[in-house]
Amino acid sequence: MKQPPQVSISRLALYLRFLEDYLLEHGPNSTIKSTQLARFLNINPHQIRKDLSYFGKFGERGIGYRVEELKNKISQILGLDRNWRLCLCGMGNLGSALFAYRGFKQMRLSILAVFDSDHKKIGKVMKGVRIYSVESIPEVVRKLKIDIAVITAPSAAAQSIADKLARSGIKAILNFAPVKLNVPQRLKLRNVDLSTEFNYLTYFLSAQVQQ
Amino acid sequence: MKQPPQVSISRLALYLRFLEDYLLEHGPNSTIKSTQLARFLNINPHQIRKDLSYFGKFGERGIGYRVEELKNKISQILGLDRNWRLCLCGMGNLGSALFAYRGFKQMRLSILAVFDSDHKKIGKVMKGVRIYSVESIPEVVRKLKIDIAVITAPSAAAQSIADKLARSGIKAILNFAPVKLNVPQRLKLRNVDLSTEFNYLTYFLSAQVQQ
DNA sequence: TGATGTGAATTTTTTCACAGCA
DNA sequence: TGCTGTGAAAAAATTCACATCA
């Protein structure tokens, strides 16, 4: 079995979320065909079957997929059958938005610590989560056994935070600061760049490119 | 000249942001080679040259690229040499975070209207921008000549907002709600799905996949 | 000489077509 | 019969190698 393309992983997350809704609406014994799922998600049914085939056989010929079973399998593939411990680095607007995001619970992601450099914020406790100084990242991350760090700090501070995270032995970083971070190879880094998304749209609008 | 891959557009945005910083640091007559730029951005120099080649010839053999000139060209390609009129649909945490985002100005994106369904918010004016009811989307978007809408509303409301936007004749939508929206073909739709990004990391952490 | 720009080769991803099984 | 699962074909994106030109 070949290594799945990176985008397949992203699509699995999409399938999962749809299946969760579908299950609530159609009950625990519902089934769904790749063609139906494809129509709902506006993608190619071959792609869905191919994506799933990288991880095993989850359907039944002539019937389709049992929704509950498929949901659980994808959940397992994506590592969502266990809890993950998060920290948020930077409690500005974006940090606050993520802190308030309700979807984390469903994915079994828990924010256990917040870091900021603003002395007015440090020491505060929000919904049971304490705001620490960025200097204490190595110590606190280690002590609280944080798995994933989310960088929502300004660009200027991002690399220094990433360095502290690297020293703390964290496993993965999701970086929202629009800079390329240098981190050790062992660390899984993923970037989300919002301005890039806007530029993509302005490109299409001004170029009037087809499709 | 072939149509550029979609990812090339995203990378141009990355190059642009780097060049802006580089220009400030190294002055208006600085030049840069594809290999240097590649090292800074941690990507392949061939890819940079290929990405640029889809749009023209911007460098000089034996020298490299004049930073200011390249920056301006990319800016033009991405449609950032004019102003774009934005609206924000949904003034929750994420909406507020984007509203406060300073990077828009640099990209010549202006938020001219905010929409929300909360009657306590409607009518308020923040930094000169009024919060309107979602019902008034078609009217206001048309009147203010909005180009791009950003959906930061909850999933449940997203499709209905998209329908109103479609009726208003908007050109592009950036959707942060984790649902697949149905919109007319002529409308350019781009999705940003934050939970997908987290699932991607948990997949790698639990699967212990290489690289 | 020393860089870019680009056709060609390679790799990755998507799409197709159909074998295979309930 | 009617779907899934998958090898093969096609398309897209990346990487390479080198011709080209200041």
Side-chain angles (χ1 to χ4, degrees), chain A residues 8 16 48 59 61 65 89 116 119 124 128 141 150 177 201 211:
Chain A
S8 288
L16 175 61
I48 294 176
R61 288 158 206 253
Y65 303 88
C89 306
D116 204 289
H119 284 278
K124 281 193 180 166
V141 166
V150 186
L201 290 178
Q211 173 35 227

Side-chain angles (χ1 to χ4, degrees), chain B residues 161-173:
Chain B
I161 288 174
D163 294 344
K164 292 187 180 73
L165 288 168
R167 270 189 281 131
S168 76
I170 203 138
K171 294 165 199 152
I173 294 178

